[in-house]
Amino acid sequence: MSFSTSSPYATGKACRSGPFPRRSFEIGAIVVAFIYWWPLAAAYVAWKVAGYPALGELRGLAGRGLSWNASATRSRFAAAFEAANGGGITGNRAFDEYRRSELDRLDAQRRALQEESRAFAEFVEELKRAKDREQFDAFMQKRRSADTTRSV
């Protein structure tokens, strides 16, 4: 099975890092670079992970303090967390008030759940103390009855 030269797999257009021989050479070069001079290999891996930015983009990246696109570097979770904590004001007052009231309601539920959890933990601890006391009393009663039978 051979690929023609017009095949996307043969030209490297089907995958991001090129056809198989180029990729194996690239991996081998990274391994050799890590063996001889690891900072160069680490820089190449970072460049590869960043999506092969052009030299001009790298200059801009360095000038902005390694944040070439703030929205791209921020995860969806971070964006949602920021929005939930008031960082994402939409401009629609009705929606912002609704969101704030829902967040307050959820916070109140969280506090109530924490209080119930604490109360349940205290209840379980009291049950453990009562069981321990009961076992200790049974042990002492058994011991006293054994002492009285020996002394008679």
Side-chain angles (χ1 to χ4, degrees), residues 3-151:
F3 294 106
S4 67
T5 57
S6 63
S7 167
Y9 294 100
T11 60
K13 294 179 181 173
C15 56
R16 182 174 177 194
S17 53
F20 181 73
R22 178 175 164 219
R23 191 175 315 138
S24 20
F25 174 74
E26 187 176 34
I27 291 170
I30 290 172
V31 170
V32 169
F34 267 111
I35 291 171
Y36 287 107
W37 201 49
W38 68 266
L40 178 66
Y44 179 73
V45 169
W47 178 67
K48 184 176 174 75
V49 168
Y52 301 103
L55 186 59
E57 291 175 339
L58 288 175
R59 286 183 188 145
L61 174 67
R64 287 189 296 267
L66 299 176
S67 176
W68 66 89
N69 188 355
S71 63
T73 60
R74 193 174 63 172
S75 68
R76 287 186 297 175
F77 176 76
F81 181 77
E82 184 178 300
N85 287 324
I89 305 294
T90 62
N92 185 328
R93 288 185 186 177
F95 178 75
D96 289 342
E97 289 171 7
Y98 166 76
R99 184 182 62 205
R100 177 81 330 224
S101 67
E102 286 298 306
L103 288 173
D104 291 343
R105 182 183 63 79
L106 289 172
D107 194 41
Q109 284 182 343
R110 182 188 53 79
R111 284 193 304 267
L113 185 62
Q114 284 178 338
E115 178 60 30
E116 288 177 5
S117 177
R118 187 192 55 75
F120 181 72
E122 289 176 0
F123 173 74
V124 168
E125 189 62 34
E126 187 59 36
L127 284 178
K128 287 180 185 177
R129 280 191 212 113
K131 185 177 178 184
D132 288 348
R133 173 55 68 188
E134 182 181 308
Q135 289 174 345
F136 177 72
D137 290 343
F139 168 76
M140 291 303 289
Q141 183 179 6
K142 184 177 177 181
R143 187 171 175 169
R144 286 183 190 132
S145 67
D147 284 346
T148 57
T149 57
R150 271 194 251 160
S151 63

